[in-house]
Amino acid sequence: MRVLGIDPGLTRCGLGVVDGSPGRPLTLVDVGVARTSPDLEVAQRLHLVDVEIGAWIDRHAPDVVAVERVFSQHNVRTVMGTAQVSGLAMVAAARRGIPVALHTPSEVKAAVTGSGRADKAQVGAMVTRLLRLAEAPRPADAADALALAICHVWRGGAQRRIATALQQSSVTRGAAR
Amino acid sequence: MRVLGIDPGLTRCGLGVVDGSPGRPLTLVDVGVARTSPDLEVAQRLHLVDVEIGAWIDRHAPDVVAVERVFSQHNVRTVMGTAQVSGLAMVAAARRGIPVALHTPSEVKAAVTGSGRADKAQVGAMVTRLLRLAEAPRPADAADALALAICHVWRGGAQRRIATALQQSSVTRGAAR
């Protein structure tokens, strides 16, 4: 499964692509950050980020796009841009018929570090280890995007295994009738 | 000048098109509401609203798209969807090379009623009068979208007159040198 993780933001939007399946080593495919200048108008900035997200989806053809779930309790000064970019990311995927998954920051931290309250350094360290990189991806938004993708590989995989198990158990029950 | 006003929302997104210029009667071109069901996933809902906004822009070819400026102080439960749809509206216009203007709810109310604290009924009544309609557009989101468009015709016009006056005055000064 190939997952594009998107850590939405207007000044810095993290983008990370990971190949993997549960229980097997993960592979880094690509990682980067889309940046826009605060000197531009908001519509122009959103448009630039949207173009970049679309280019990443088209270039890497992910099976799933995983986007960080944004909460309005976040920093009030930046939450609007973050919410707007998360919406663009979801529509960029939906428009191309690619499934979208949302994961909260706590879910992502818990998936890669074992603790939902891990700090940025811990997340960066685990992403580095899990993807066997020489050093942590910078800035933190890039590492966060990879952590999102890893989280989805593992959670999505678990969800699929449960669905498969349920399906097989109903097949068995059907055969036993 | 033709203005498409967009009152962003995930459950109901108001869309209103008005032709006009400052000091002349305004004309209603079209008004409606894009609705999405809360039963769908957010990515799907955003995608549907995005398709609808794009269709309105392509159908009416506005000179400007006026979007309500969203504040994070708003209702916390609905602000995320509102912010996301406002971002989609801005990018839908920017992608097509159409200028985007943002107006706050107070600016819109002040423009059409004279008071920045007018209630929905007052805004609906003034939109009805200014566009010479038989009754107020329903739901309120539709009337709000028209109020946004009217606000832009008048404010955009004023800004243009000021810009023109400044230009002429600098031309005059240039000629006097």
Side-chain angles (χ1 to χ4, degrees):
Chain A
M1 170 161 58
R2 172 165 293 186
V3 181
L4 166 60
I6 302 183
D7 182 32
L10 194 51
T11 302
R12 285 184 307 275
C13 177
L15 297 145
V17 184
V18 171
D19 279 352
S21 53
R24 316 190 92 204
L26 299 155
T27 311
L28 169 70
V29 177
D30 201 356
V31 62
V33 172
R35 298 170 191 269
T36 68
S37 162
D39 298 337
L40 298 175
E41 290 193 0
V42 174
Q44 199 53 37
R45 299 179 72 184
L46 291 169
H47 179 39
L48 289 171
V49 176
D50 187 57
V51 167
E52 194 63 21
I53 290 171
W56 274 69
I57 297 178
D58 293 337
R59 194 183 312 143
H60 295 295
D63 299 303
V64 177
V65 173
V67 182
E68 187 178 298
R69 193 186 287 279
V70 184
F71 291 104
S72 45
Q73 290 85 339
H74 271 193
N75 185 339
V76 165
R77 236 171 45 78
T78 60
V79 73
M80 301 310 296
T82 306
Q84 288 166 332
V85 173
S86 79
L88 294 175
M90 285 190 251
V91 170
R95 184 185 292 142
R96 292 163 171 85
I98 300 172
V100 174
L102 301 175
H103 301 287
T104 67
S106 315
E107 286 166 347
V108 174
K109 289 173 187 172
V112 301
T113 74
S115 162
R117 285 176 297 176
D119 62 14
K120 294 244 171 237
Q122 209 177 334
V123 171
M126 284 307 297
V127 165
T128 309
R129 185 174 310 169
L130 293 166
L131 295 174
R132 302 173 308 285
L133 309 176
E135 54 183 337
R138 302 247 175 260
D141 315 76
D144 286 347
L146 291 171
L148 252 165
I150 295 170
C151 169
H152 186 78
V153 168
W154 289 346
R155 296 191 79 204
Q159 281 156 10
R160 217 175 39 234
R161 281 200 308 279
I162 293 166
T164 308
L166 283 170
Q167 203 174 18
Q168 287 177 335
S169 103
S170 74
V171 167
T172 313
R173 273 186 278 123
R177 259 191 228 125
Chain B
M1 172 162 55
R2 171 166 293 186
V3 181
L4 166 60
I6 301 182
D7 182 32
L10 195 50
T11 302
R12 286 184 308 277
C13 177
L15 297 145
V17 184
V18 171
D19 279 351
S21 53
R24 318 190 89 203
L26 299 155
T27 310
L28 169 70
V29 177
D30 201 356
V31 62
V33 173
R35 297 170 193 268
T36 69
S37 162
D39 299 337
L40 297 176
E41 290 193 359
V42 173
Q44 201 53 39
R45 300 178 73 185
L46 291 170
H47 180 39
L48 289 170
V49 177
D50 187 57
V51 167
E52 195 63 23
I53 290 172
W56 274 68
I57 296 178
D58 292 337
R59 194 183 311 141
H60 294 297
D63 299 303
V64 178
V65 174
V67 183
E68 187 179 297
R69 192 187 288 277
V70 184
F71 291 104
S72 46
Q73 289 86 339
H74 271 191
N75 185 339
V76 166
R77 236 172 47 76
T78 59
V79 74
M80 300 309 297
T82 306
Q84 288 166 333
V85 174
S86 78
L88 294 175
M90 283 189 253
V91 171
R95 187 184 289 141
R96 291 163 172 85
I98 299 172
V100 173
L102 302 174
H103 301 287
T104 68
S106 316
E107 286 167 347
V108 174
K109 289 172 186 174
V112 301
T113 75
S115 162
R117 285 174 299 176
D119 62 15
K120 295 244 170 238
Q122 207 176 335
V123 170
M126 283 308 297
V127 165
T128 310
R129 185 173 310 167
L130 293 166
L131 295 173
R132 302 172 309 283
L133 310 176
E135 54 184 337
R138 302 245 175 262
D141 314 76
D144 286 346
L146 291 171
L148 251 165
I150 295 170
C151 169
H152 186 78
V153 168
W154 288 346
R155 295 191 81 204
Q159 281 155 9
R160 217 174 40 233
R161 281 202 308 280
I162 292 165
T164 308
L166 282 170
Q167 203 173 19
Q168 288 177 334
S169 101
S170 73
V171 167
T172 312
R173 272 187 278 123
R177 257 191 230 129

